[in-house]
Amino acid sequence: MNLPPTALIIGASSGIGAALAREFARNGLRLALVARRKDLLEKLAQELSAVETRCYAHDVAEYDEAPVLWQQILQDFGRVDIVVYNAGVLLPVGPEEYDFGADKRMVEINLLGAMAWLNPVALTFGRTGRGHIVGISSVAGDRGRVGAPGYNTTKAALSTFLEALRNRLTKKGVHVLTVKPGFVQTDMLKNAPKTFWVISPEQAAQDIVKAIHRRAQVAYTPERWGLLMNVIRHIPSFLFRRLKI
Amino acid sequence: MSVSQLPLERLDKVENYGHSRHTVAYVYRPNQVAQIEEVFALARRAGLSVALRGAGRSYGDAATNSGQVVLDLQRMNRILNWNPATGVIKVEPGVTIAQIWQHVLEDGYWPPVTSGTMFPTIGGALAHNIHGKNNTKAGTLGEHVLEFTALLPNGEQVTCTPTENSELFYALISTAGLLGVFTSVTLKLKKLHTGLVDVHAWAMTHLGEMMRDLDERKHEFDYIVGWVDTLDHNGRGQIHGANYVHDAPNAAETLRLDKQVLPDTFFGLVPKSTLWMFMTPFMNNVGTRLINTAKYVFSATLEQRKIYRQSLVEFNYLLDYVPNWEKSYGRSGLIQYQTFIPLATATDAYLEMLRLAQRRGMPPFLGVTKRHRPDRFLFTHAVDGYSFAMDFKVTNAARLQKLCEEMSDIALEAGGRFYFAKDSTLTPGRARRYLGEETLAKFQALKAQCDPENLLQSDLYRRLLV
């Protein structure tokens, strides 16, 4: 009979990644967990010992490691069905601050890391004609806001990258999902100034699994962010820059 | 991190025949023996194992090697020598059964043993030592091999015949490609006078009656096979017995390739390449009951006791009438579950298995029974008895696995055997009971001798034999 399905989560040690691991485990998936902090991964793996789980310590900014580790995971599991790129950082900058170092780091983790991982994944999934690629972007990528120019840029670029992958791979049978969470109760939220509609990582994980099942292209979590961002995206620029959003 | 040295571009989809197993592997397609040796060296350096694969017609996991290397031998498909005077042919392992019959038929020859599809490679067919509908008359394919050469993972190139290196001869044939790679095979083919068979068809109301007829009438026919209505409580069905036609007014013409074709369309309308899509809506309990009932009523009335003439291709290659028929089972595919049970216990065991599947709400959609004779190959599946093959749609894999395990226990209790070309549900303990300690010890000793680094592996090997 077939091998049980497998999910790979890059950025699995905490937040949405860890919650997704728990949700996938509840659905009986085997898990490949990737993150920098191996101690946290191993703790999570112990918690999820009912399913086959393997941990891989890796810094997503070590781009050359990504295709090698991807192959290692394929060798270890024999098949991978879902790949979630969840690694991301939000480095706070003040309203008058322009910090190239912070911006560069966010580009490295949020965007280049995703490209380093999802390119080999896309190549393999495209050849095998199946698989789900899930990128955790953000509502922050829908407009350039005064509070977080660098972060907004990385998430906008990630959303565009995922859209391009989708346009390449859908006809080959591969599903690409862009997830745009609003405010989720994670470590990253500590750096967010004003928050509302805050949800738990568990709720976000449940929404993401539902979106995978219905093969959605873009999923806002919670869903009402979709309506709000639809309005915000259509505010003309000359008005948007006057708003304190 | 253990670092693989193999290129990412080599990763490709590797599935089984029933599309019930989806894996990814580094696929290499050598064209000559030196390239096989290169792939062995590459795999060793990367710390990976190598599985051998022909046309991918195994229903289980014998030709998949998840995350590892797969050596696809289909490009080694040259016919090396053909002698129409003696009927002896020498081929590379990637030559298919179709290539062979198309090459030799006009000279009046035919593969002595053939599967229900013409597309398996000779290497794959011998790795599993296939049988056909003529097993009681002709035995398995391995019994028609005069000689083969093989490359062993230990670097040796060996020549084996039934009398020279005979232990390896009887082991490499049947052990699922786990001891060495066939590099050439010399076969003695069957002499024919026409390209036709006369088919006798008769329906029977009970599986027990069918098995009795398969046994009592086996000497009357060159080929004999029973088709079982697997949704019927008693396993009613129809037997087809066929004999080669030795004399016909247009004998030479019947041997021409243009007289050995399967229809391009059904009812003159539906292109056969699309027919599997029309079958999909019937691949459920209700649809199959409808089709089986109609087929049985037809066979018990209009076709009862009829004799009709068919070409060899029409009679032998039922599976090839509908290209991609296996896709009609949906995205989760199908498994074929086949056991071989001795004469004395087979009927009761098979009825028990069939009724168990029906009670569990998972009846097979196709059932085929045949009479067999034993052979002396190491991993022989054959018995002096019967086989019963059942096609199951994979809807709930866990429940199907449990059902198959229950059926395997019935088969083992009845002295049954299994067939690695079909198997996907055996467990290590049950495989051990089937093969026996002596056979396993012999296999392990040969494995240590031919493949000391354990390079040749497959998903089946790791599932059952490690």
Side-chain angles (χ1 to χ4, degrees):
Chain A
M1 218 73 79
N2 217 346
L3 294 162
T6 307
L8 158 63
I9 304 171
I10 302 134
S13 57
S14 62
I16 294 176
L20 260 177
R22 293 186 186 97
E23 193 64 25
F24 285 146
R26 258 193 293 280
N27 285 282
L29 272 73
R30 299 182 298 168
L31 293 169
L33 305 177
V34 175
R36 265 184 312 127
R37 295 172 290 181
K38 196 160 190 195
D39 52 330
L40 289 181
L41 281 184
E42 281 171 351
K43 207 170 147 198
L44 180 62
Q46 271 182 352
E47 179 193 328
L48 305 175
S49 57
V51 295
E52 184 185 341
T53 305
R54 288 176 191 240
C55 303
Y56 303 87
H58 162 72
D59 180 346
V60 294
E62 298 293 333
Y63 310 121
D64 292 344
E65 275 187 22
V68 180
L69 188 51
W70 167 236
Q71 290 180 76
Q72 181 66 53
I73 290 165
L74 284 172
Q75 287 166 21
D76 292 345
F77 286 88
R79 68 180 277 195
V80 174
D81 304 83
I82 302 172
V83 175
V84 182
Y85 189 84
N86 178 59
V89 287
L90 171 71
L91 302 175
V93 287
E96 301 298 327
E97 190 184 359
Y98 299 91
D99 184 342
F100 176 70
D103 289 348
K104 180 169 172 276
R105 184 68 183 152
M106 286 191 284
V107 170
E108 285 170 352
I109 306 295
N110 300 0
L111 179 62
L112 295 180
M115 288 172 153
W117 268 97
L118 299 184
N119 278 332
V121 169
L123 178 69
T124 307
F125 280 3
R127 289 179 75 93
T128 57
R130 54 174 63 225
H132 300 267
I133 294 174
V134 181
I136 309 298
S137 184
S138 170
V139 293
D142 280 7
R143 286 304 293 253
R145 292 163 49 234
V146 293
Y151 185 71
N152 292 166
T153 303
T154 62
K155 291 300 184 181
L158 177 61
S159 294
T160 304
F161 178 64
L162 291 166
E163 184 188 15
L165 287 187
R166 183 180 307 118
N167 293 340
R168 278 189 173 197
L169 296 171
T170 299
K171 57 181 175 288
K172 294 183 176 174
V174 181
H175 167 227
V176 181
L177 167 64
T178 308
V179 179
K180 296 186 177 182
F183 296 114
V184 182
Q185 195 66 55
T186 63
D187 291 347
M188 202 186 276
L189 204 64
K190 290 176 196 157
N191 298 325
K194 285 180 285 184
T195 57
F196 56 97
W197 292 352
V198 178
I199 59 168
S200 66
E202 288 69 32
Q203 189 185 331
Q206 285 166 13
D207 287 350
I208 292 166
V209 170
K210 278 186 208 153
I212 292 171
H213 280 307
R214 61 171 205 273
R215 294 178 83 84
Q217 298 185 19
V218 178
Y220 286 88
T221 173
E223 262 183 60
R224 53 185 177 269
W225 273 101
L227 290 172
L228 178 61
M229 294 315 293
N230 202 20
V231 173
I232 290 178
R233 272 200 316 273
H234 288 89
I235 298 174
S237 226
F238 72 91
L239 279 179
F240 191 74
R241 78 175 70 104
R242 287 171 173 76
L243 299 173
K244 289 184 179 172
I245 296 178
Chain B
M1 191 187 306
S2 110
V3 179
S4 163
Q5 299 297 316
L6 302 186
L8 190 63
E9 290 72 20
R10 284 281 176 187
L11 279 174
D12 216 333
K13 168 171 68 176
V14 180
E15 293 187 345
N16 59 5
Y17 190 25
H19 304 296
S20 59
R21 187 175 186 83
H22 314 289
T23 69
V24 175
Y26 298 92
V27 180
Y28 286 83
R29 298 179 177 83
N31 182 252
Q32 48 196 272
V33 177
Q35 290 176 332
I36 299 175
E37 289 172 317
E38 281 170 27
V39 175
F40 281 179
L42 277 175
R44 275 191 196 100
R45 281 202 295 276
L48 297 174
S49 65
V50 178
L52 307 183
R53 184 176 171 92
R57 254 54 184 184
S58 289
Y59 283 86
D61 51 2
T64 62
N65 199 18
S66 308
Q68 308 283 307
V69 175
V70 166
L71 197 60
D72 178 337
L73 291 154
Q74 289 182 101
R75 285 178 68 221
M76 291 184 66
N77 61 355
R78 286 163 286 243
I79 292 173
L80 302 171
N81 190 26
W82 163 235
N83 185 341
T86 59
V88 174
I89 192 165
K90 185 174 183 180
V91 299
E92 287 189 326
V95 164
T96 62
I97 293 171
Q99 269 181 278
I100 290 184
W101 75 253
Q102 286 165 2
H103 194 78
V104 304
L105 188 61
E106 286 208 35
D107 295 325
Y109 285 91
W110 183 252
V113 170
T114 181
S115 43
T117 165
M118 63 177 92
F119 299 114
T121 61
I122 286 298
L126 284 176
H128 293 286
N129 199 18
I130 64 161
H131 61 265
K133 301 178 187 81
N134 56 351
N135 189 253
T136 50
K137 282 271 172 81
T140 54
L141 185 64
E143 294 174 54
H144 303 270
V145 175
L146 302 178
E147 180 185 288
F148 66 74
T149 57
L151 172 68
L152 307 181
N154 66 10
E156 267 186 82
Q157 298 204 35
V158 292
T159 301
C160 300
T161 73
T163 52
E164 182 190 346
N165 282 329
S166 69
E167 190 182 30
L168 275 183
F169 180 88
Y170 286 102
L172 258 79
I173 295 175
S174 80
T175 47
L178 295 169
L179 295 178
V181 190
F182 297 117
T183 49
S184 75
V185 176
T186 306
L187 281 166
K188 176 88 166 94
L189 302 185
K190 164 85 182 163
K191 179 70 184 158
L192 295 176
H193 302 285
T194 76
L196 303 170
V197 284
D198 279 333
V199 184
H200 301 241
W202 65 100
M204 314 210 72
T205 57
H206 196 283
L207 183 62
E209 293 172 11
M210 287 176 70
M211 289 185 157
R212 186 199 62 213
D213 268 20
L214 285 173
D215 182 45
E216 289 178 357
R217 303 189 65 182
K218 63 181 184 291
H219 298 300
E220 291 176 39
F221 299 103
D222 292 314
Y223 298 91
I224 187 163
V225 59
W227 307 98
V228 182
D229 177 356
T230 47
L231 282 104
D232 179 65
H233 182 69
N234 291 323
R236 66 188 177 186
Q238 186 184 35
I239 292 180
H240 286 167
N243 284 318
Y244 295 114
V245 174
H246 298 296
D247 193 21
N250 51 351
E253 196 183 330
T254 64
L255 294 170
R256 281 182 10 206
L257 293 191
D258 60 346
K259 300 295 176 194
Q260 297 286 337
V261 288
L262 296 172
D264 284 334
T265 58
F266 278 81
F267 311 115
L269 287 173
V270 183
K272 71 174 183 182
S273 58
T274 61
L275 193 68
W276 68 269
M277 294 181 217
F278 293 91
M279 290 163 61
T280 303
F282 294 96
M283 287 302 174
N284 51 60
N285 292 0
V286 176
T288 307
R289 185 179 291 278
L290 200 70
I291 288 178
N292 282 6
T293 302
K295 187 174 181 306
Y296 178 76
V297 169
F298 177 73
S299 64
T301 53
L302 296 174
E303 215 183 29
Q304 182 69 319
R305 308 275 164 202
K306 281 276 173 62
I307 302 172
Y308 52 91
R309 192 159 277 193
Q310 279 189 313
S311 71
L312 282 161
V313 165
E314 285 171 321
F315 177 75
N316 276 294
Y317 299 124
L318 187 80
L319 290 177
D320 300 331
Y321 273 74
V322 184
N324 299 318
W325 61 271
E326 69 283 357
K327 286 187 181 171
S328 66
Y329 280 80
R331 274 180 77 83
S332 298
L334 81 146
I335 63 162
Q336 188 172 91
Y337 179 85
Q338 187 172 26
T339 50
F340 301 74
I341 299 184
L343 213 55
T345 49
T347 304
D348 288 346
Y350 283 140
L351 271 173
E352 193 183 343
M353 287 158 70
L354 183 63
R355 287 170 183 168
L356 179 69
Q358 291 169 350
R359 275 203 309 279
R360 295 275 186 274
M362 290 180 286
F365 291 165
L366 181 72
V368 176
T369 179
K370 294 190 285 271
R371 181 72 171 87
H372 289 264
R373 73 180 196 195
D375 61 61
R376 56 177 292 197
F377 293 90
L378 187 61
F379 279 2
T380 179
H381 54 270
V383 291
D384 183 9
Y386 302 93
S387 69
F388 189 20
M390 300 184 256
D391 286 5
F392 288 96
K393 181 175 182 173
V394 180
T395 43
N396 183 327
R399 282 186 64 218
L400 183 54
Q401 173 69 32
K402 188 166 181 296
L403 169 66
C404 291
E405 288 179 10
E406 287 180 86
M407 293 195 298
S408 297
D409 289 339
I410 295 169
L412 286 165
E413 203 57 38
R417 304 184 71 82
F418 299 85
Y419 187 21
F420 287 160
K422 306 288 178 74
D423 178 64
S424 50
T425 60
L426 271 179
T427 54
R430 291 181 176 93
R432 187 166 280 274
R433 274 181 73 190
Y434 141 49
L435 290 167
E437 296 298 334
E438 193 185 333
T439 299
L440 275 172
K442 204 168 168 185
F443 171 73
Q444 297 300 355
L446 284 168
K447 183 80 174 159
Q449 175 198 324
C450 302
D451 183 14
E453 296 161 293
N454 218 7
L455 189 67
L456 290 180
Q457 298 189 20
S458 63
D459 287 338
L460 180 139
Y461 177 73
R462 288 188 292 275
R463 176 167 60 90
L464 297 179
L465 298 170
V466 176

